[in-house]
Amino acid sequence: MTRLAYYPLTQSHPPGAQLAGQLTALLPTELGRVFFVNSGSEAVETALKMARQYARRAHPGQNRYKIIARHRAYHGFTMGALSATGQVARKREFEPLVPGFLHVVPPDHYRCAFCAQTLGCTLACADEFDRAISMEGPETVAAVIIEPTIGGGGVFHAPEGYLERVRQICNHHGVLLIFDEVITGFGRTGRMFGFEHAGVRPDILTLAKGITSAYLPLAATVATNEIFDAFSHDVDDSAKFAQVSTFGGHPCSCAAGIANLEILVRERLWENAACVGAYLANRLCALHSPSIGEVRGRGLLIGLEMVADANRTPMPEAEVIRLQRKIREAGVLVGRNNDTVPGLGNVLTIAPPLTLHQEEADAIVAAIKKSLPS
Ligand SMILES: Cc1ncc(COP(=O)(O)O)c(C=O)c1O
């Protein structure tokens, strides 16, 4: 703060440049361009605007503006990000939202209309993107946006083959793929980024929370060099990406990001998340509680689908709230996918620090066990 209290990123500054370099070094080489903002919502907003403006440049004569997202997804509180969000209770007070946003079903194998009865996922839910794009007309679609793991909407990890299938569908239709890794980025799911579980990369990536481990506000939208070039090759200034942000990439936040990423990499915290997360999920499964319909774990992002009976009837919300309170009284903070989808506010979310030790995982299990209905 004493060295550089403020400088706008309409040009550049050393902490911003250094952090962008550190960040892109962790990503596939094609994801080489970073735009800093202040929050996850702004990172998503930036990604959506970038996709629309890019589509106009890459497909002249077409009208590619639609964005396809998923029910239960959360992408942020601003109007564009909220329009991409698939949670009715967060949106209804503010509608009508931005035109051109559509939603398809999420990969919820436990309650899937296509394949809940089969052992594995048939990827019919991924094919819904193909159906939606084809029915809308690919020449009207700019991008697909997905969280590799839906977090706040109930913790749904992408099934095996899902991200690859969606990537293929986007490629086939010339549609950009945005991964919203505001939650999953920086080790949360046991890999540095959620998309590494699948080995496919997005065209645009949104990052926030873990970039500074929340010590200071910062977020980023990362784009491929190919997307960047579509804007930068133009001599006409009005064709550049049309966005500025006064505080985005504040030098102090970037300095916090630099220090944070150094620690994350030095201590390989994603490996701890994978290891202790697997231990924690296994111990939660071993509770064999009739109230826990499913344990959905990947790294240190775990969802507990709470049920009322063996027919998978969701546990009533009031009961889930009581349970959450009891767990808190036992010393552990757990989240809940509160009021996201009608009738399905029944998922407890566990997302402890990436430094969690096994004994602390035991304490989480003990608090939950003690609080469950007998
Ligand atoms: C996946 C995802 N995207 C975007 C956001 C919005 O981020 P912020 O609250 O920093 O605006 C969130 C917030 O939880 C999120 O989980």
Side-chain angles (χ1 to χ4, degrees):
M1 290 190 87
T2 52
R3 226 182 299 162
L4 185 64
Y6 175 69
Y7 198 78
L9 270 186
T10 42
Q11 288 103 59
S12 189
H13 55 62
Q18 189 183 331
L19 180 60
Q22 243 171 309
L23 186 53
T24 51
L26 299 173
L27 288 163
T29 43
E30 313 90 279
L31 284 161
R33 300 293 178 164
V34 183
F35 194 108
F36 287 116
V37 287
N38 304 290
S39 68
S41 300
E42 288 174 59
V44 170
E45 208 72 33
T46 303
L48 299 172
K49 288 168 67 184
M50 222 177 249
R52 281 190 171 178
Q53 195 178 344
Y54 172 80
R56 297 211 160 95
R57 309 203 60 69
H59 306 281
Q62 296 186 2
N63 185 22
R64 287 184 181 254
Y65 68 96
K66 290 177 190 160
I67 309 285
I68 306 186
R70 298 179 299 181
H71 291 295
R72 302 199 73 159
Y74 183 66
H75 293 294
F77 62 80
T78 47
M79 286 307 247
L82 192 61
S83 304
T85 292
Q87 302 177 358
V88 62
R90 297 222 189 276
K91 304 204 286 186
R92 67 178 149 228
E93 296 296 327
F94 314 109
E95 288 174 328
L97 299 174
V98 180
F101 284 77
L102 293 95
H103 295 83
V104 300
V105 290
D108 174 7
H109 188 64
Y110 190 69
R111 300 189 183 280
C112 182
F114 300 116
C115 65
Q117 303 315 321
T118 66
L119 201 56
C121 172
T122 60
L123 298 183
C125 52
D127 289 337
E128 285 296 287
F129 281 107
D130 188 46
R131 198 152 74 100
I133 296 169
S134 303
M135 296 302 276
E136 292 293 319
E139 70 287 353
T140 70
V141 182
V144 158
I145 180 164
I146 53 183
E147 300 158 84
T149 293
I150 290 180
V155 188
F156 300 101
H157 303 290
E160 207 168 317
Y162 180 92
L163 295 181
E164 290 89 334
R165 180 73 66 89
V166 177
R167 178 72 268 183
Q168 274 168 5
I169 292 166
C170 289
N171 289 351
H172 177 70
H173 292 294
V175 166
L176 292 183
L177 179 56
I178 303 168
F179 284 162
D180 180 356
E181 295 230 25
V182 165
I183 285 189
T184 51
F186 304 105
R188 172 59 54 195
T189 66
R191 299 278 173 93
M192 183 60 88
F193 299 102
F195 68 79
E196 291 177 14
H197 289 282
V200 292
R201 64 149 182 85
D203 300 297
I204 303 179
L205 175 68
T206 60
L207 300 165
K209 306 181 193 282
I211 194 168
T212 61
S213 291
Y215 283 100
L216 281 176
L218 184 68
T221 305
V222 185
T224 58
N225 299 319
E226 192 183 334
I227 292 178
F228 178 84
D229 288 344
F231 295 101
S232 75
H233 278 176
D234 219 301
V235 284
D236 173 8
D237 236 20
S238 69
K240 298 247 166 8
F241 179 52
Q243 181 171 297
V244 292
S245 167
T246 300
F247 293 133
H250 193 286
C252 301
S253 295
C254 288
I258 290 167
N260 176 62
L261 290 194
E262 272 168 13
I263 296 167
L264 188 77
V265 169
R266 188 174 66 236
E267 299 189 5
R268 302 181 70 80
L269 288 177
W270 62 95
E271 290 179 356
N272 189 63
C275 179
V276 181
Y279 172 80
L280 176 56
N282 283 340
R283 287 225 44 208
L284 289 165
C285 286
L287 290 176
H288 297 300
S289 165
S291 302
I292 302 177
E294 189 174 52
V295 177
R296 296 192 279 268
R298 188 169 283 169
L300 282 169
L301 183 52
I302 300 173
L304 299 182
E305 173 103 22
M306 304 310 297
V307 292
D309 56 36
N311 297 323
R312 304 188 177 188
T313 308
M315 182 181 276
E317 201 161 319
E319 220 174 296
V320 183
I321 292 169
R322 260 199 307 277
L323 176 58
Q324 187 188 21
R325 203 170 295 144
K326 277 178 87 174
I327 298 171
R328 188 167 60 210
E329 281 159 12
V332 171
L333 297 174
V334 296
R336 187 171 58 81
N337 69 326
N338 44 324
D339 65 18
T340 54
V341 183
L344 287 170
N346 65 319
V347 180
L348 292 178
T349 56
I350 304 172
L354 304 188
T355 50
L356 193 79
H357 295 141
Q358 203 162 297
E359 306 77 65
E360 291 163 330
D362 289 335
I364 293 173
V365 177
I368 292 173
K369 186 175 178 190
K370 184 172 151 190
S371 311
L372 285 169
S374 39

